[in-house]
Amino acid sequence: MKKIIFNIFLAVSLLGGSLNVVAETAEEKGLAIAVEIDKRDTGFKDSTVKLKMVLKNKQGRSSVRELRTKTLEVTGDGDKSLSIFDKPRDVKGTAFLTYTHTIRPDDQWLYLPALKRVKRISSKNKSGPFMGSEFSYEDISSQEVDKYTYKYIRDEDCNGVGCFVIERYPTYKNSGYTRQVAWINKQEYRPEKIVFYDRKNALLKTLEYKDYKQYLNQYWRADIMQMINHQTGKSTDLSFQDYQFNTGLSEKNFSRNSLKRAR
């Protein structure tokens, strides 16, 4: 997850740990914040992590899935990631491969072991739910800076810390959103909360990040991500554990052929 959010390119300077933004407009300041977020999350090379996905319906009934995710940082383009489901038995071996791109549509494939075939996810279906969760396919891809335009809105406390509030607007076709409002921790430049608005600009979902930990003295990762769908009453919790970095992953670990071999 590079990436649970953004990149940017503006004249910024860091002084005493705070961002001194040489920007005159709300759009330039919003972009500068996104660029700083990406800058601070660059250089981890690769990572692996275990996840527990808890899906809850409107009545509170839940189901649990367990999976692993590998990520390869790509210079000059978006990251590559491979997610492999381990439990329950009916989804065991299902694998999802993403090549994120900075400007052109992402490439995504899903391997379904029951059918023994690889299905390509159409760019027109990126707003669809990922494995029945409240996360869409576009939510779980690497969030590259160029995929959005930005606008700084205001400063505001969030989760007890000072945050920048910015809006970002998808620049790619077939997004399920008109805009997203993000609360960014002013000290650490990590997202605390994102609110999503659908294609009709109606409130759709809220994503909250909890229990952050820092790795390699630089990279912040949330232990818990909770997505609530305000229109359906459903929610999905992702719990992360056992992050590993610089594990020696390479391009061959993220080929289409690797989907069928994923275990």
Side-chain angles (χ1 to χ4, degrees):
M1 282 154 243
K2 191 178 181 180
K3 309 217 143 209
I4 287 223
I5 307 227
F6 342 140
N7 289 319
I8 290 193
F9 334 85
L10 254 215
V12 298
S13 61
L14 290 172
L15 181 62
S18 63
L19 184 69
N20 182 18
V21 181
V22 187
E24 295 182 350
T25 69
E27 288 77 11
E28 289 170 339
K29 185 170 181 177
L31 177 62
I33 293 167
V35 168
E36 181 63 21
I37 294 168
D38 185 71
K39 175 184 173 184
R40 295 191 182 201
D41 201 47
T42 296
F44 64 89
K45 295 182 180 177
D46 66 69
S47 67
T48 64
V49 67
K50 297 177 181 176
L51 293 85
K52 179 178 289 185
M53 175 187 287
V54 180
L55 290 69
K56 298 179 182 177
N57 65 16
K58 188 175 182 179
Q59 289 71 37
R61 290 190 291 272
S62 64
S63 58
V64 179
R65 294 172 175 176
E66 295 182 10
L67 60 154
R68 295 162 282 140
T69 294
K70 306 174 183 177
T71 301
L72 180 69
E73 191 174 34
V74 178
T75 302
D77 200 358
D79 295 347
K80 296 182 178 180
S81 65
L82 175 62
S83 296
I84 306 153
F85 284 77
D86 295 320
K87 294 181 180 179
R89 181 177 297 179
D90 63 341
V91 298
K92 181 178 174 60
T94 299
F96 181 67
L97 177 66
T98 295
Y99 292 179
T100 304
H101 303 297
T102 53
I103 298 176
R104 60 189 174 94
D106 299 342
D107 294 311
Q108 294 180 315
W109 300 270
L110 183 67
Y111 174 65
L112 301 169
L115 301 178
K116 295 182 179 180
R117 73 180 182 93
V118 175
K119 174 184 178 183
R120 185 182 182 92
I121 306 299
S122 168
S123 61
K124 294 181 180 179
N125 294 329
K126 298 298 173 61
S127 61
F130 173 62
M131 295 296 287
S133 75
E134 299 312 306
F135 289 84
S136 67
Y137 288 102
E138 67 177 299
D139 294 338
I140 60 174
S141 64
S142 175
Q143 303 293 298
E144 304 299 324
V145 170
D146 287 354
K147 285 182 173 293
Y148 304 90
T149 59
Y150 303 87
K151 183 178 182 180
Y152 165 79
I153 304 299
R154 61 184 181 274
D155 287 357
E156 185 175 276
D157 285 352
C158 180
N159 296 334
V161 298
C163 288
F164 299 115
V165 181
I166 63 173
E167 282 192 344
R168 62 177 187 171
Y169 314 93
T171 58
Y172 48 95
K173 293 181 179 179
N174 305 312
S175 172
Y177 311 116
T178 53
R179 61 188 174 107
Q180 301 171 14
V181 183
W183 280 254
I184 306 299
N185 186 306
K186 296 173 71 172
Q187 185 67 34
E188 307 297 349
Y189 283 81
R190 66 193 188 202
E192 299 287 343
K193 181 174 71 172
I194 302 176
V195 177
F196 301 79
Y197 292 83
D198 67 14
R199 290 170 177 164
K200 296 181 179 179
N201 204 23
L203 175 63
L204 177 59
K205 302 186 294 188
T206 296
L207 173 61
E208 292 199 67
Y209 300 77
K210 302 178 180 178
D211 299 339
Y212 270 104
K213 291 179 181 174
Q214 191 178 35
Y215 297 87
L216 306 180
N217 294 316
Q218 179 175 351
Y219 308 108
W220 290 98
R221 297 290 183 269
D223 275 356
I224 298 174
M225 295 170 60
Q226 183 180 56
M227 183 75 88
I228 297 175
N229 189 318
H230 302 288
Q231 296 184 3
T232 66
K234 298 179 180 178
S235 66
T236 298
D237 293 352
L238 296 179
S239 301
F240 300 81
Q241 62 177 353
D242 195 21
Y243 263 110
Q244 303 290 328
F245 292 84
N246 297 328
T247 64
L249 295 174
S250 64
E251 293 282 351
K252 67 180 181 181
N253 298 111
F254 297 86
S255 68
R256 286 184 58 183
N257 288 333
S258 68
L259 280 168
K260 296 180 180 179
R261 297 194 305 268
R263 291 292 185 272

